[in-house]
Amino acid sequence: MHTDILKKDKDPMGAAIADFHRLGKAGRLRLFSSQFDEDEMPVKELFRTFGQMPALERTALRLASGRILDVGAGSGCHSLALQDMGKEVCAIDISPLSVEVMRERGVRDARLANLFQPGFAERFDTVLMLMNGSGIIGRIENMPAFFDRMKQLLKPGGSVLMDSSDLSYLFEEEDGSISIDLADDYYGQVDFYMRYKDILGDSFDWLYVDFDTLSLYASSCGFRAELVEEGEHFNYLARLSLAF
Ligand code: SAH
């Protein structure tokens, strides 16, 4: 769970987003992890339009209703699509450069804010968390704190629309069995850091959570989890609503 707003000199993704916005192209946004090989995040994909979005994200945007909070909004791609659909959205991000770009791109209500900042105290009908939106929760033990936060942010009858992936396929043996050591930490917890040009970000925790585990935490925290749609790569869209 990030607890702070990023500093501009520690915000590689924001710098890549700002370059792409201003120049129409960006350098390599490199992704490192102690668990995986080096990877790259295609910056252009952070600027996807409604038509370029995966089906699961389009479903989430269609289902989003009332006053919407776009959490970790990045370049503002989902907020802009929601505005085009005539919906009311507030976009938040901890990246100052991304928030500047969102404003320049026409996101009407873009704020530099952390989801977990108690000072951010408004209520929404839909909380949208997309592009492995569960990542922001960071670690599995943060689940109760996350659901408490959702109770503060949701209006009565409101819900969270979140996508995630089940990483168990990474532990699949040749015979199709899954070998996960249950004594280890939950297998969906990944640490990452990013680099763009000479801007190096701090390391952060990012949570991938399978639907069953998410449902268990949801029900123990007074929420109901519904599997809305499954994606093409072990990913899914869930709706989390307060159980009555
Ligand atoms: N939703 C966007 C961007 C996803 S990348 C898209 O689908 O393209 C994740 C974003 O979440 C980054 O921009 C990061 O700065 C932001 N973020 C991470 N932790 C956050 C937090 N606690 N509160 C708000 N935003 C956060």
Side-chain angles (χ1 to χ4, degrees), residues 162-183:
M162 174 199 277
D163 67 344
S164 194
S165 304
D166 181 354
L167 290 195
S168 59
Y169 70 92
L170 296 176
F171 302 90
E172 204 173 296
E173 304 285 343
E174 275 175 18
D175 65 1
S177 66
I178 306 257
S179 81
I180 290 171
D181 186 346
L182 294 175

Side-chain angles (χ1 to χ4, degrees), residues 55-206:
L56 203 131
E57 292 187 359
R58 294 201 301 264
T59 301
L61 297 185
R62 284 192 200 100
L63 290 175
S65 63
R67 186 145 193 262
I68 303 161
L69 179 67
D70 182 3
V71 177
S75 80
C77 57
H78 297 116
S79 290
L80 288 170
L82 289 165
Q83 285 184 184
D84 284 348
M85 294 160 96
K87 300 189 184 191
E88 188 193 341
V89 58
C90 169
I92 60 168
D93 206 290
I94 54 170
S95 153
L97 293 164
S98 299
V99 172
E100 276 174 29
V101 169
M102 281 199 261
R103 289 183 182 140
E104 285 176 26
R105 296 183 77 209
V107 176
R108 287 191 280 271
D109 186 3
R111 302 194 214 166
L112 185 60
N114 183 328
L115 177 67
F116 298 103
Q117 233 170 26
F120 185 73
E122 291 173 40
R123 287 195 182 257
F124 298 88
D125 298 286
T126 305
V127 173
L128 200 62
M129 299 176 72
L130 292 180
M131 198 172 141
N132 196 64
S134 66
I136 287 176
I137 303 167
R139 295 187 61 83
I140 204 80
E141 60 266 27
N142 295 335
M143 270 304 181
F146 166 72
F147 281 109
D148 277 351
R149 189 69 183 123
M150 291 303 113
K151 282 180 195 161
Q152 295 165 356
L153 286 171
L154 286 172
K155 289 189 194 176
S159 56
V160 182
L161 290 167
M162 174 199 277
D163 67 344
S164 194
S165 304
D166 181 354
L167 290 195
S168 59
Y169 70 92
L170 296 176
F171 302 90
E172 204 173 296
E173 304 285 343
E174 275 175 18
D175 65 1
S177 66
I178 306 257
S179 81
I180 290 171
D181 186 346
L182 294 175
D184 277 353
D185 280 353
Y186 176 65
Y187 63 83
Q189 298 176 140
V190 180
D191 59 84
F192 283 121
Y193 68 91
M194 288 191 273
R195 184 184 183 120
Y196 180 70
K197 296 182 173 166
D198 57 353
I199 303 166
L200 194 61
D202 287 331
S203 163
F204 58 93
D205 295 320
W206 197 247

Side-chain angles (χ1 to χ4, degrees), residues 28-33 35-40 195:
R28 293 171 61 212
L29 179 56
R30 299 163 71 190
L31 198 57
F32 302 88
S33 163
Q35 290 122 304
F36 303 117
D37 291 337
E38 181 183 338
D39 205 351
E40 203 174 308
R195 184 184 183 120

